[in-house]
Each structure stands twice: as C-alpha cells, then as structure tokens.
Amino acid sequence: MFPSIRPAILSAKVLVIALVSVIVVAQTPRQQNARSFVENLYILESRRQFADFSVFLTPSLAALVEKDRKAAPGEIGKLDFDPICDCQDSDGLRFQVTHLTRSGSRAVASVSLHFNDKTVRNVRLSLLRESDRWSIDDIQTRDFNSLREFLTRP
C-alpha cells in the first residue's frame, strides 16, 4: 500500500537496535557493577557483537589466551571454543545470572545459558575489578574448573 514506509520502518528498527547496543556498551566503568558487567557481556555474546572475547578478560588471562593462539599458528590451540558461552556457536543464546557474590574487588557470577536446541550450560565467572573496570579473571565450565589451569597445563 505504502511502499516507501517499509524501508523507513526497517531503518527505524535498525536504529533502535543500534541505540540499545550503544547504551549497553556505553556505561562507564564507574557506573557498571559486577552484575551489569555480566549481563552486558552476555547481551553482546547473544547478539554476536564482539569479535574477540579477550577484551573482557584481565590482562593476565588475556595473555594466556594469546599465548595459546600463538602456540598453534595456522591451527586451533587448546581453546577451540568460546569459553564465555561454553560453546562453538551462541545462536539463540539466552542467559540468566543465577547467583552473584562480591567481596571487595572480586566477584563470582554463576550464569545459566540456554540454547535453541534446549541445551543448558552453567558457567561460573570469577571477576576482578581493576582500574575501575570489571574483567573476567577465570572461567569454570562443565569441562574444566579453571580456564587458567586448562591453558597452562601441558
């Protein structure tokens, strides 16, 4: 009926999604508490809006991930999956922060991850607040108790 309205509606939807993404990411570290850090992380993960999860890691954990990548040039290292979602593909990811405890500059978040195929996985994130910014200092999944330990064992 009004062919020029459809592109306008589509453009408006894209604009709204873009604005929500900017608002989620634009919180300054001072505004972001541990729970909102985890929630924002999984919102981005579910939308596949970051190319490299290591930007969410503490420098020491990011260095271990990078070392693993460099140790297998042209190959896949030990870390052949995304440890944030404990998966290969985050399509249809829904999440719930089921528990969060905080003590000073540290926090532990338990997250229940639900996928389209009805798979449910539980991930535990050990968080560290450094320089007014929350980061992931370690990850526990069904396959390992510590990402750090997994990356450092022979």
Side-chain angles (χ1 to χ4, degrees):
M1 188 161 147
F2 298 105
S4 64
I5 292 179
R6 273 201 176 142
I9 291 172
L10 181 58
S11 294
K13 287 180 181 178
V14 169
L15 179 63
V16 167
I17 290 170
L19 286 173
V20 168
S21 298
V22 167
I23 290 168
V24 165
V25 176
Q27 285 187 355
T28 65
R30 290 177 193 262
Q31 295 171 319
Q32 196 172 57
N33 63 34
R35 180 174 292 275
S36 64
F37 168 78
V38 172
E39 290 171 347
N40 291 342
L41 171 73
Y42 281 101
I43 287 169
L44 293 173
E45 176 79 21
S46 69
R47 294 180 185 164
R48 299 172 148 201
Q49 290 185 327
F50 57 85
D52 183 7
F53 65 84
S54 64
V55 300
F56 299 102
L57 307 179
T58 58
S60 61
L61 185 56
L64 290 174
V65 169
E66 186 59 26
K67 181 179 177 184
D68 179 61
R69 287 180 185 155
K70 288 182 177 178
E75 302 285 327
I76 296 175
K78 291 180 186 177
L79 198 57
D80 61 351
F81 62 98
D82 180 345
I84 292 175
C85 66
D86 190 21
C87 67
Q88 295 284 339
D89 185 359
S90 62
D91 275 349
L93 175 67
R94 293 174 319 284
F95 70 92
Q96 179 180 10
V97 179
T98 57
H99 191 258
L100 190 132
T101 58
R102 181 176 175 192
S103 178
S105 63
R106 296 202 168 267
V108 175
S110 297
V111 185
S112 180
L113 307 173
H114 303 262
F115 297 87
N116 280 342
D117 66 357
K118 308 268 190 250
T119 300
V120 178
R121 294 197 177 112
N122 295 301
V123 174
R124 179 173 287 168
L125 305 175
S126 297
L127 308 175
L128 180 62
R129 187 174 178 92
E130 296 178 311
S131 303
D132 255 356
R133 178 180 176 270
W134 285 103
S135 299
I136 300 169
D137 195 42
D138 207 358
I139 301 174
Q140 180 182 2
T141 71
R142 64 192 165 130
D143 294 324
F144 52 81
N145 286 328
S146 166
L147 178 59
R148 285 179 176 280
E149 186 180 296
F150 174 77
L151 291 172
T152 55
R153 76 178 145 200

